[in-house]
Amino acid sequence: MNNKFTAWLILIVLSLVWGSSFILMKQGLRSFTSDEVAGLRITIASAFMLPFLFKYYRIDLKKNLKGLLLMGVFGNLIPAFLFTKAETQISSSLTGMLNALTPLFTIIMGYVMYNSKIHKNQIVGVAIGFLGAIALVYFGNDNGEQTKNAMYSLLVAAATLCYAISVNGIKAHLNDIDSFKATTWSFTLIGPMAAIYLFGFTDVIKHASEHPLGVSSLGYISILAIVGSALSVVVYNTLIKMSGTVFAASCTYLIPIVAIGWGILDGEVVNLIQFLAVLIIIAGIWLINMKPKTKEI
């Protein structure tokens, strides 16, 4: 019971952090290009984790390299660039809604990559939760943005597919490694890639020093990198090992709820349909984690 409570607590905290990440990305985009925001996010997160390498330097790279690369490249590096590029054209609310594709892709990729068993209630739960996420954003957004820039919406879908690959890779290849050690090494592997691109092929230094909002934007990106990437990945990996891939990926259903909270603080009105959508999302998560009574497929 204690582990179950802890798992739900972690799920809620991660949802709050990642639900706020879209706003932080937008703040970063005020001064930097999408590639620069993504590059800074990974580089700063890697620099933050680097000192821990002195403690966690002992690792069997030959055995764990595949899992670390899946975690680093597909769980952090590629999605960072895809999300920021998408947010140059679509709203953060739409991005949050599309992010709810992660549990669906997690189940599919688990079956495709590792022949994971799928229960019928998981399929139903994912479908219900996804419909709730769509309703939550669709009925709370009257500016029509949810129907345009389909190509940029596909970038978010691609990012969630990357997340699903990473989640299953962590469960399959890094289950016996401490979460902090795995996170430290994954960022150690991808950090140089991001830094070389950032300082070798972008104008990040110019934008940081010359743009009027450069310093403040850099501050928001630093929060995004340290809290939204480095520390959250450690906690997320712990959640995966504690409760499984599908439950961990379910936090993406709660991210649109965080967007509603930001809207209320900003003076927006939350309607009844949105509250009903929240209940639908919670029902979907409950179904995903309910002990199956049906045969596995």
Side-chain angles (χ1 to χ4, degrees):
M1 181 64 69
N2 185 46
N3 284 340
K4 186 175 182 181
F5 173 79
T6 302
W8 275 99
L9 182 61
I10 292 174
L11 182 75
I12 293 171
V13 171
L14 282 175
S15 301
L16 290 172
V17 171
W18 282 338
S20 304
S21 66
F22 305 112
I23 294 177
L24 294 173
M25 278 187 264
K26 278 194 170 183
Q27 293 295 330
L29 288 169
R30 290 175 179 246
S31 306
F32 300 98
T33 67
S34 61
D35 285 353
E36 289 168 353
V37 172
L40 282 167
R41 178 179 185 176
I42 299 300
T43 302
I44 294 172
S46 301
F48 176 80
M49 297 300 298
L50 188 60
F52 297 102
L53 192 62
F54 291 99
K55 180 179 180 180
Y56 299 111
Y57 67 92
R58 291 188 178 182
I59 192 172
D60 188 348
L61 270 181
K62 183 177 180 180
K63 175 184 177 182
N64 298 299
L65 184 60
K66 181 178 180 180
L68 292 171
L69 286 175
L70 286 172
M71 174 182 170
V73 175
F74 288 93
N76 294 280
L77 185 63
I78 296 177
F81 283 87
L82 292 176
F83 274 121
T84 51
K85 186 64 176 180
E87 282 210 25
T88 61
Q89 297 295 326
I90 63 176
S91 67
S92 59
S93 60
L94 176 57
T95 305
M97 181 269 288
L98 291 171
N99 199 48
L101 286 168
T102 302
L104 174 60
F105 283 132
T106 297
I107 289 178
I108 294 173
M109 295 310 298
Y111 179 78
V112 172
M113 296 171 64
Y114 303 106
N115 198 29
S116 301
K117 298 182 187 299
I118 305 175
H119 300 292
K120 290 183 178 179
N121 61 296
Q122 289 180 321
I123 297 175
V124 174
V126 166
I128 291 175
F130 184 53
L131 289 174
I134 293 175
L136 180 64
V137 176
Y138 183 85
F139 290 105
N141 187 351
D142 58 2
N143 57 14
E145 287 190 359
Q146 67 270 17
T147 60
K148 66 182 182 181
N149 296 317
M151 187 60 67
Y152 287 89
S153 298
L154 289 176
L155 294 179
V156 180
T160 61
L161 177 60
C162 288
Y163 279 155
I165 294 173
S166 173
V167 167
N168 282 286
I170 291 169
K171 186 68 175 177
H173 303 291
L174 301 176
N175 202 39
D176 58 342
I177 298 181
D178 177 80
S179 297
F180 221 105
K181 177 185 285 189
T183 304
T184 299
W185 270 97
S186 68
F187 275 107
T188 298
L189 293 174
I190 66 173
M193 304 179 198
I196 290 172
Y197 176 76
L198 180 66
F199 295 109
F201 299 93
T202 72
D203 295 320
V204 63
I205 296 178
K206 177 182 178 181
H207 292 155
S209 59
E210 296 182 5
H211 196 283
L213 298 176
V215 175
S216 62
S217 292
L218 185 60
Y220 287 117
I221 297 171
S222 297
I223 296 173
L224 175 66
I226 295 171
V227 180
S229 290
L231 295 179
S232 293
V233 169
V234 174
V235 177
Y236 189 57
N237 292 344
T238 302
L239 183 62
I240 291 173
K241 295 174 184 179
M242 181 185 300
S243 301
T245 57
V246 177
F247 181 82
S250 296
C251 67
T252 54
Y253 287 149
L254 299 176
I255 288 174
I257 300 175
V258 179
I260 281 186
W262 282 109
I264 293 175
L265 291 175
D266 199 37
E268 297 178 2
V269 177
V270 179
N271 56 52
L272 178 60
I273 298 179
Q274 287 178 284
F275 281 116
L276 292 177
V278 171
L279 294 178
I280 293 173
I281 292 170
I282 294 175
I285 296 175
W286 178 76
L287 278 173
I288 288 173
N289 296 281
M290 184 178 64
K291 186 175 180 180
K293 296 182 181 180
T294 56
K295 292 184 179 180
E296 296 167 346
I297 62 174

